[in-house]
Amino acid sequence: MQPVRKAVLPVAGLGTRFLPATKVMPKEMLTVVDKPVLQYVVDEAREAGIEQFIFVTGRGKGVIEDHFDTAFELEATLAERGKTGPLEQLRAELPAAGNVSFTRQQAPLGLGHAVWCARELVGDEPFALLLPDVIIKNQRGVMAQMMDVYNEHGTNVIAVEEVAPERTDQYGVVEISGSGDVFDVTGMVEKPKAGTAPSNLIITGRYILKPRIFDLLKTQEKGAGGEIQITDSMLTLMREDGFKGLRFQGTTYDCGSKIGFLSAQLAYGLDRPDLGPDLREVAKALLA
C-alpha cells in the first residue's frame, strides 16, 4: 500500500461571491484573524504527514506563490528589529524547498478538471485533495483522521458530515452501507433535487484518492452546471475500488460563503487567548 505523500489544492477560482475584495486578492488569501484561509488548509495537510503540495492556480494568483516563498526583505527587517516571534512563525509555516509545485488551470471547467490538471505532478500514487474554501476546526485535523482510515483499509476515503435535509440540494451527497463513523459509500450524487437525496450526509471538501481517478477524469463528460464534476468519476472509482466515508470530528466553516467566513472569524478569534476576551466584550456590546 503506497503512502499518501502529496496533496492537491485547487486554487484557480475567481471568488466572485467576495467581490470587490477579490478583484486583485485571491479569495484563498483572505485572512481568518491573521492567517490566510489557505494556510489553515496547508497546516492541516502538514499535520497529516503530507510532504508535497500541488497548487492548481489560475491567472492573477501569483500572490499564492509568493506566500509560500521566502520573503527576504521582511525576514531581514524582523531579524534586525529583534522580532523573533513573527520571524519564527513565518519560517515554521514555510514548506521545505522543492515541496511546493504550481500548475495552471487555463479555463474554469470545474473541480474535476482542476484535479486532472495536476496529474503529471501527482504521478501514479494516491493523493489527498483539500478544497481551500473549507477550514475545519478541531484539535486533530480532519486529514489526519482520514489518514487513519486509509492506513487501515487502503482505499479511497471521503470526509462527510450531516446537514439539515432541506439543504442537501446544495452539496454532493453520499449513500452509505453500515453505521458508525467509518462506513462503505455505495452511491454519490451532486446537488440532488429537493427531496431526492439518498441521505443527509454531504461531502466536505476532503478526499484521499487513488491515481486511477485521472484516467476517469480524462474522458469524463460535463455534468452539473456544465462543469466536469469529480463526483461523476468518483462514482466509477467507487464501483471499481470502493470508498470509505468518515464522519469526522470537527466544525466546518465554508469560507467560500460570507456567513461561513464571518463565522470562522468569530470562532478562531474567540479561541485566541490574546484576542478572545476582548472580542467577546465587543460582540456583547454589538448585540446589545
Side-chain angles (χ1 to χ4, degrees):
M1 186 174 67
Q2 291 179 283
V4 179
R5 305 183 306 113
K6 298 179 179 180
V8 173
L9 298 103
V11 293
L14 297 175
T16 53
R17 285 185 287 181
F18 280 87
L19 287 171
T22 50
K23 181 179 178 180
V24 295
M25 174 65 71
K27 63 176 182 175
E28 300 84 5
M29 296 304 294
L30 298 177
T31 58
V32 171
V33 187
D34 54 7
K35 186 189 295 187
V37 171
L38 183 56
Q39 185 68 58
Y40 286 95
V41 180
V42 169
D43 289 347
E44 179 190 327
R46 291 180 71 184
E47 179 206 17
I50 295 297
E51 301 169 3
Q52 297 183 7
F53 300 87
I54 300 163
F55 296 92
V56 182
T57 70
R59 288 177 292 278
K61 299 279 185 166
V63 68
I64 294 177
E65 297 187 35
D66 291 340
H67 179 75
F68 292 102
D69 195 1
T70 300
F72 293 104
E73 296 84 355
L74 175 60
E75 293 187 14
T77 300
L78 292 173
E80 182 181 339
R81 296 178 180 178
K83 297 183 179 291
T84 56
L87 180 59
E88 290 175 356
Q89 181 180 3
L90 286 177
R91 290 174 174 172
E93 292 178 348
L94 191 67
N99 284 7
V100 178
S101 303
F102 296 87
T103 189
R104 283 284 185 101
Q105 182 187 22
Q106 287 87 352
L109 297 178
L111 176 59
H113 181 260
V115 172
W116 183 74
C117 289
R119 65 197 182 282
E120 297 296 335
L121 293 170
V122 173
D124 189 25
E125 58 184 284
F127 64 99
L129 171 63
L130 300 95
L131 302 193
D133 286 348
V134 178
I135 57 177
I136 305 172
K137 193 173 187 296
N138 197 61
Q139 187 171 5
R140 186 167 186 252
V142 171
M143 186 51 62
Q145 299 174 44
M146 295 175 68
M147 288 291 196
D148 292 342
V149 178
Y150 173 80
N151 291 333
E152 180 178 352
H153 299 279
T155 191
N156 307 281
V157 186
I158 49 178
V160 302
E161 64 178 320
E162 295 183 8
V163 299
E166 60 269 21
R167 295 177 55 208
T168 53
D169 61 342
Q170 304 173 38
Y171 305 97
V173 182
V174 298
E175 182 177 0
I176 70 169
S177 174
S179 58
D181 292 334
V182 179
F183 39 77
D184 291 320
V185 175
T186 57
M188 307 176 204
V189 59
E190 186 69 28
K191 297 181 180 179
K193 292 182 180 179
T196 66
S199 74
N200 68 332
L201 293 173
I202 65 167
I203 303 172
T204 316
R206 299 291 187 271
Y207 314 72
I208 294 176
L209 300 171
K210 299 284 190 69
R212 166 69 173 147
I213 195 74
F214 295 120
D215 296 328
L216 301 172
L217 287 169
K218 183 177 181 180
T219 57
Q220 180 64 57
E221 296 181 356
K222 293 180 180 180
E227 297 182 339
I228 298 174
Q229 299 289 347
I230 195 169
T231 306
D232 295 332
S233 290
M234 284 167 54
L235 274 169
T236 304
L237 186 60
M238 177 194 72
R239 299 184 188 107
E240 293 180 358
D241 194 51
F243 261 88
K244 290 291 184 182
L246 169 67
R247 200 190 317 254
F248 58 87
Q249 300 295 315
T251 303
T252 301
Y253 297 97
D254 178 7
C255 292
S257 73
K258 293 177 182 178
I259 191 64
F261 182 69
L262 292 171
S263 299
Q265 300 283 1
L266 285 172
Y268 282 87
L270 290 170
D271 202 36
R272 286 270 296 262
D274 59 331
L275 298 174
D278 289 342
L279 180 57
R280 191 166 282 103
E281 294 304 315
V282 170
K284 288 179 180 178
L286 289 172
L287 291 171

